[in-house]
């Protein structure tokens, strides 16, 4: 699904990216994303939502023919971060609820979880992002590994509205993405094969109850999901006899059910 090369351009780009020591499968996926973002039209409401998109894409274009792995990656990361948006737009009510639950603001989880997820997502996978922002992470998972459904749970209604537009722009069929505008504290964690989360709430007070319940729900599944967690605080809530850590770099922790 993901590791067969589509074009000579992709192969050449993937080779250059892999020359820096990157895993070849991940280099291929990154090459696909880079080439896709070079050929897409400008995103919807580009001038107001993504005012630097055109400039940043030009920067990527200028290094894509001859740039080294690091230059390419940096240029693409800038474009990615711009699309991710640093700030989710919150209403005063959403902000109050976010603060009550010790919610984290909209920082980007980065490309590594997206590039590493390949082996864990198949066509029948149902994935979720708890605290999705505009859903870019889950949408890029759909781009690289088309799968049954991605569920995006996010407290900011406006971030979700932007996410729907990005989904359409990336030509992901709308039925593959479900958007839930709610507090993660209210949303069950069962029914998924792959869960991604970037510390939506702090593990204190109501946040502690969230992680306790989350761990209980995933562990009581017949087939518990693989979990990719950024700035992880689940480790203290999952039990060693149900989950093992298969990757950790201080930023991303990957849990696999035993
Ligand atoms: C650190 S960002 C992660 C964004 C994205 N998932 C990523 O990894 O790039 C955390 C996100 O969780 C959302 N969030 C914070 N508290 C929340 C809550 N109680 N319920 C739902 N979403 C929440 C924030 O609005 C923000 O979009």
């Amino acid at each position: 699904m993901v590791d067969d090369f589509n074009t000579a351009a992709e192969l050449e780009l993937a080779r250059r990216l892999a020359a820096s020591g990157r895993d070849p499968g991940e280099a291929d996926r990154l090459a696909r994303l880079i080439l896709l973002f070079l050929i897409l039209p400008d995103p919807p409401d580009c001038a107001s939502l993504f005012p630097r998109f055109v400039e940043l894409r030009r920067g990527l274009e200028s290094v894509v023919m001859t740039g080294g792995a690091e230059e390419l990656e940096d240029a693409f990361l800038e474009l990615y971060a711009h699309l991710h948006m640093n700030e989710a737009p919150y209403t005063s009510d959403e902000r109050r609820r976010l603060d009550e639950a010790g919610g984290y603001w909209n920082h980007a989880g980065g490309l590594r979880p997206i590039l590493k997820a390949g082996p864990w997502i198949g066509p029948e996978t149902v994935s979720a992002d708890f605290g999705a922002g505009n859903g870019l992470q889950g949408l890029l998972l759909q781009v690289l590994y088309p799968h049954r459904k991605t569920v995006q749970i996010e407290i900011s209604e406006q971030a979700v509205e932007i996410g729907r537009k990005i989904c359409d722009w990336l030509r992901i069929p709308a039925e593959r993405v479900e958007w839930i505008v709610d507090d993660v504290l209210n949303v069950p964690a069962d029914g998924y094969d792959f869960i991604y989360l970037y510390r939506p709430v702090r593990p204190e007070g109501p946040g502690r109850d969230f992680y306790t319940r989350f761990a209980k729900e995933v562990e009581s599944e017949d087939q518990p999901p693989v979990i990719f967690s950024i700035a992880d605080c689940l480790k203290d809530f999952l039990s060693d006899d149900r989950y093992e850590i298969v990757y950790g770099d201080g930023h991303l922790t990957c849990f696999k059910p035993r």
Side-chain angles (χ1 to χ4, degrees):
M1 175 181 57
V2 290
D3 290 327
D4 50 328
F5 295 100
N6 282 330
T7 62
E10 186 183 310
L11 173 60
E12 195 281 320
L13 194 52
R15 273 195 189 134
R16 239 184 306 149
L17 290 164
S20 66
R22 185 184 277 284
D23 168 87
E26 289 177 34
D28 173 35
R29 294 166 207 146
L30 181 55
R32 283 177 192 216
L33 288 181
I34 290 175
L35 292 177
L36 172 69
F37 278 87
L38 288 180
I39 59 168
L40 280 170
D42 291 350
D45 302 338
C46 187
S48 57
L49 290 178
F50 308 109
R52 295 192 62 216
F53 181 88
V54 172
E55 167 208 336
L56 293 173
R57 175 156 67 182
R58 254 189 231 125
L60 179 62
E61 254 164 24
S62 72
V63 294
V64 89
M65 297 306 287
T66 52
E70 210 172 308
E71 256 181 309
L72 275 163
E73 236 179 287
D74 287 352
F76 186 66
L77 265 174
E78 273 201 84
L79 189 62
Y80 153 86
H82 188 55
L83 285 168
H84 185 285
M85 310 173 95
N86 284 332
E87 275 184 37
Y90 303 109
T91 63
S92 48
D93 180 51
E94 287 166 355
R95 184 161 301 201
R96 183 185 49 75
R97 289 195 287 149
L98 187 118
D99 289 344
E100 271 170 18
Y104 257 51
W105 291 44
N106 193 29
H107 303 294
L111 291 170
R112 185 160 295 155
I114 295 160
L115 301 177
K116 282 207 169 295
W120 309 107
I121 298 183
E124 289 307 314
T125 297
V126 178
S127 66
D129 181 350
F130 278 71
N134 67 18
L136 187 64
Q137 301 294 87
L139 296 175
L140 293 181
L141 291 178
Q142 276 289 353
V143 165
L144 284 178
Y145 328 112
H147 54 283
R148 184 139 65 101
K149 199 176 358 167
T150 299
V151 180
Q152 312 263 26
I153 304 135
E154 169 55 45
I155 204 164
S156 163
E157 187 162 12
Q158 213 184 319
V160 165
E161 280 318 305
I162 295 168
R164 288 182 198 278
K165 292 180 187 175
I166 298 177
C167 179
D168 194 41
W169 174 60
L170 293 174
R171 296 175 196 159
I172 297 167
E175 63 274 15
R176 287 193 180 232
V177 186
E178 180 181 343
W179 302 89
I180 300 177
V181 180
D182 204 344
D183 192 327
V184 291
L185 268 53
N186 301 327
V187 182
D190 47 5
Y192 302 113
D193 307 295
F194 180 92
I195 296 181
Y196 167 79
L197 76 173
Y198 181 173
R199 205 178 169 103
V201 289
R202 289 185 179 79
E204 297 150 13
R208 194 170 178 81
D209 297 342
F210 166 74
Y211 293 108
T212 306
R213 172 187 52 87
F214 183 103
K216 201 166 148 209
E217 285 171 351
V218 294
E219 289 190 346
S220 52
E221 299 250 45
D222 291 341
Q223 285 278 351
V226 166
I227 301 169
F228 275 28
S229 173
I230 301 282
D232 180 62
C233 50
L234 263 177
K235 183 175 171 295
D236 295 336
F237 296 85
L238 294 172
S239 46
D240 288 345
D241 55 338
R242 287 298 267 159
Y243 271 100
E244 63 179 310
I245 292 177
V246 289
Y247 176 82
D249 60 15
H251 182 61
L252 168 65
T253 308
C254 304
F255 298 91
K256 180 171 95 63
R258 285 187 194 274

